[in-house]
């Protein structure tokens, strides 16, 4: 499972949802989907992730993590 950690990373850098959207110029709907990650997002917009990484001075791996889910028996 892929997890987006935008909220955690942005808050550690002093950003709230509104401030992050204004500073990045990314559509609020996109920012909100990443911010309120619920595991149901089917895709990530690479240019948006790139902008967020540049703004927050992080690498993509800081925003996106993969967790191992146990296989069903």
């Amino acid at each position: 499972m892929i997890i987006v950690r935008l909220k955690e990373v942005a808050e550690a850098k002093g950003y709230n949802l509104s401030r992050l959207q204004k500073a990045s110029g990314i559509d609020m709907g996109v920012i909100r989907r990443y911010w309120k990650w619920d595991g149901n997002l089917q895709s990530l917009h690479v240019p948006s992730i790139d902008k967020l990484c540049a703004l927050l001075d992080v690498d993509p791996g800081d925003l996106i993590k993969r967790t191992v889910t146990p296989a069903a028996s």
Side-chain angles (χ1 to χ4, degrees), residues 16-68:
N16 63 24
L17 179 64
S18 178
R19 182 170 173 237
L20 184 66
Q21 188 279 321
K22 288 176 185 170
S24 69
I26 298 170
D27 180 76
M28 180 57 95
V30 172
I31 294 288
R32 187 174 285 121
R33 281 191 300 271
Y34 296 164
W35 189 271
K36 298 180 182 210
W37 179 258
D38 64 2
N40 292 322
L41 193 62
Q42 296 299 312
S43 65
L44 296 169
H45 188 245
V46 174
S48 295
I49 296 297
D50 185 47
K51 269 188 179 179
L52 291 168
C53 286
L55 178 65
L56 298 171
D57 192 28
V58 298
D59 291 322
D62 297 321
L63 295 180
I64 304 164
K65 297 287 183 190
R66 180 177 180 271
T67 61
V68 179

